[in-house]
């Protein structure tokens, strides 16, 4: 009975629907943050720049959807600044295996420890890790790295302004404002961070585990020469949780969602052979799905994100089949890798 209960608990993220978190208006706000930079790129015939800025807006927008609360706009802005810096360093460091793996480890430790302190620091830390991992997959020179960093910052600024406007928009639509989370407090952050830089601290050990896992998975993806290899350590970042049920549940839900997203994107492509205009519509539609279902069901969110990525890279000129298979392969390996890390290095429970 205990084994059956454990299996059911692990399977909850796949099937559990928290409809109280269903937020179509918030999803529209997040989708609009993606639409603005993407449209600007299309109108100025700089599609690549639009895709980069839209990707930053998507990442920052998703993190702003916390249960029953909206992340403070200043936190979103600081997340954009930290993401921009991480994008700069990741792009420059991506030329070297050693430097890329080192950055993954350092960012994993710092972001992992910050993420355990407060909700706002968790937002900033996670976005920093995400940015350095993705940027490491697209190495370039200083000029291009600075441009990408600036575009990510623009995406963050767009989401910050839209987050400020969300409250009045909800009232205009006849709804209620969501409660706003805490603003960032750097005066409290540094002492709290330093107080956990010791081995007995469970937060220190958890951050160290994440650091090793990200560095190892990033190195593995480069050794295997996977296309779009950053999806492997990204999956580890998202799946690896402090306890067994969350880790295995997240892993199963992410793999199921990725499989569903690949099947959906492939089916739509085969049936419709979408034009550029249709691709933009599909991208924004699945961006809305990502934001709206982020806190409702993780499997649906993962499926929407996979379809979004497939259509986005197709718009940028890459074959959608290759993009789908690359993401599926890296996600499956990353999911199993995160589960293996948990088995070999169980998290120490916080007191």
């Amino acid at each position: 009975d205990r084994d059956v209960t454990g299996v059911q608990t692990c399977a909850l993220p796949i099937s559990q629907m928290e409809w109280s978190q269903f937020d179509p208006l918030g999803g529209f706000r997040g989708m609009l943050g993606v639409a603005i930079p993407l449209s600007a790129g299309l109108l100025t015939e700089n599609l690549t720049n639009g895709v980069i800025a839209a990707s930053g807006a998507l990442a920052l927008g998703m993190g702003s959807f916390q249960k029953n609360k909206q992340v403070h706009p200043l936190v979103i802005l600081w997340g954009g600044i930290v993401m921009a810096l991480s994008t700069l360093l990741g792009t420059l460091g991506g030329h070297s295996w050693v430097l890329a793996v080192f950055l993954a480890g350092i960012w994993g430790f710092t972001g992992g420890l910050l993420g355990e302190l407060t909700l706002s620091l968790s937002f900033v830390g996670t976005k920093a890790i995400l940015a350095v991992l993705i940027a490491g997959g697209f190495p370039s020179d200083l000029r291009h790295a600075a441009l990408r960093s600036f575009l990510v910052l623009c995406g963050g600024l767009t989401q910050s302004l839209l987050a400020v406007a969300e409250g009045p928009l909800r009232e205009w639509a006849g709804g209620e404002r969501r409660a706003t989370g805490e603003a960032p407090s750097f005066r409290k952050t540094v002492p709290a961070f330093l107080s956990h830089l010791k081995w007995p601290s469970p937060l220190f050990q958890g951050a160290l585990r994440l650091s090793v896992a990200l560095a190892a998975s990033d190195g593995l993806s480069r050794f295997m020469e996977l296309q779009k290899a950053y999806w492997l350590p990204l999956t580890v970042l998202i799946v690896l949780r402090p306890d067994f049920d969350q880790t295995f549940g997240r892993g199963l839900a992410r793999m199921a969602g990725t499989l569903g997203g690949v099947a959906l994107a492939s089916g739509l492509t085969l049936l419709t052979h979408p034009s550029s205009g249709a691709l933009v519509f599909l991208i924004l539609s699945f961006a809305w799905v990502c934001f709206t279902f982020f806190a409702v069901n993780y499997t649906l969110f993962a499926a929407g994100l996979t379809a979004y990525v497939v259509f986005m890279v197709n718009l940028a000129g890459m074959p959608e089949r290759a993009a789908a298979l690359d993401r599926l392969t890296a996600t499956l390996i990353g999911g199993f890798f995160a589960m293996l890390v948990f088995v070999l290095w169980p998290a120490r429970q916080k007191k």
Side-chain angles (χ1 to χ4, degrees):
D1 292 342
R2 185 176 299 175
D3 292 339
V4 172
T5 303
V7 171
Q8 290 174 339
T9 303
C10 289
L12 276 179
I14 298 178
S15 59
Q16 187 176 33
M17 304 290 290
E18 295 190 32
W19 288 111
S20 63
Q21 303 300 320
F22 182 70
D23 187 7
L25 186 59
F28 176 78
R29 185 266 291 177
M31 181 270 288
L32 189 60
V34 174
I36 291 172
L38 185 60
S39 300
L42 288 168
L43 292 174
T44 59
E45 298 184 351
N46 287 304
L47 182 57
T48 300
N49 292 347
V51 168
I52 294 172
S55 299
L58 181 82
L60 288 161
M62 283 191 300
S64 67
F65 286 83
Q66 305 291 340
K67 291 186 177 182
N68 303 317
K69 279 189 178 182
Q70 174 183 307
V71 172
H72 197 286
L74 284 178
V75 177
I76 301 176
L77 179 60
W78 273 109
I81 293 172
V82 172
M83 273 192 76
L85 176 61
S86 301
T87 298
L88 177 68
L89 296 177
T91 302
L92 295 175
H95 291 286
S96 166
W97 274 40
V98 174
L99 187 53
V101 170
F102 174 77
L103 286 172
I106 294 297
W107 258 243
F109 177 82
T110 306
L113 186 51
L114 285 174
E116 293 292 339
L117 298 178
T118 66
L119 183 63
S120 60
L121 292 177
S122 175
F123 176 89
V124 174
T126 301
K127 301 313 165 191
I129 301 171
L130 183 146
V132 82
L133 292 175
I134 294 178
F138 300 93
S140 190
D141 56 28
L142 179 60
R143 183 173 69 87
H144 287 92
L147 175 60
R148 293 174 188 173
S149 178
F150 172 73
L151 292 170
V152 169
L153 183 60
C154 289
L157 180 61
T158 301
Q159 286 289 11
S160 297
L161 294 175
L162 289 171
V164 172
E166 182 181 334
L169 177 62
R170 286 181 181 275
E171 291 182 342
W172 176 81
E176 296 182 357
R177 290 176 182 244
R178 286 194 298 167
T180 301
E182 60 183 355
S185 175
F186 298 102
R187 182 175 59 85
K188 299 178 181 178
T189 300
V190 175
F193 183 88
L194 294 176
S195 69
H196 289 286
L197 291 180
K198 51 190 177 183
W199 179 254
S201 169
L203 302 188
F204 177 89
Q205 295 182 30
L208 184 62
R209 183 180 69 152
L210 180 62
S211 172
V212 172
L214 290 180
S217 59
D218 191 74
L220 176 63
S221 67
R222 292 172 182 274
F223 175 77
M224 296 178 66
E225 297 183 349
L226 296 173
Q227 296 296 319
K228 300 294 180 293
Y230 53 84
W231 281 112
L232 200 163
L234 277 181
T235 300
V236 174
L237 170 65
I238 294 169
V239 170
L240 191 59
R241 302 283 103 182
D243 62 75
F244 175 89
D245 292 340
Q246 286 188 50
T247 296
F248 280 75
R250 272 288 185 103
L252 293 173
R254 186 167 180 83
M255 287 187 277
T258 300
L259 284 168
V262 167
L264 180 60
S266 301
L268 286 173
T269 300
L270 289 172
L271 290 173
T272 63
H273 302 286
S275 62
S276 295
L279 282 173
V280 171
F281 174 78
L282 289 168
I283 288 167
L284 296 181
S285 297
F286 283 107
W288 180 85
V289 169
C290 290
F291 291 119
T292 303
F293 288 93
F294 180 73
V296 176
N297 178 268
Y298 191 78
T299 304
L300 289 178
F301 160 72
L305 180 60
T306 299
Y308 167 90
V309 170
V310 171
F311 290 124
M312 182 69 89
V313 297
N314 191 8
L315 181 66
M318 290 181 57
E320 71 281 345
R321 181 176 298 178
L325 291 176
D326 290 344
R327 174 163 164 72
L328 177 60
T329 302
T331 299
L332 291 176
I333 296 173
F336 285 116
F337 188 91
M339 295 178 189
L340 179 63
V341 169
F342 188 91
V343 171
L344 297 178
W345 191 344
R348 180 182 170 188
Q349 297 298 316
K350 298 181 225 178
K351 294 183 181 179

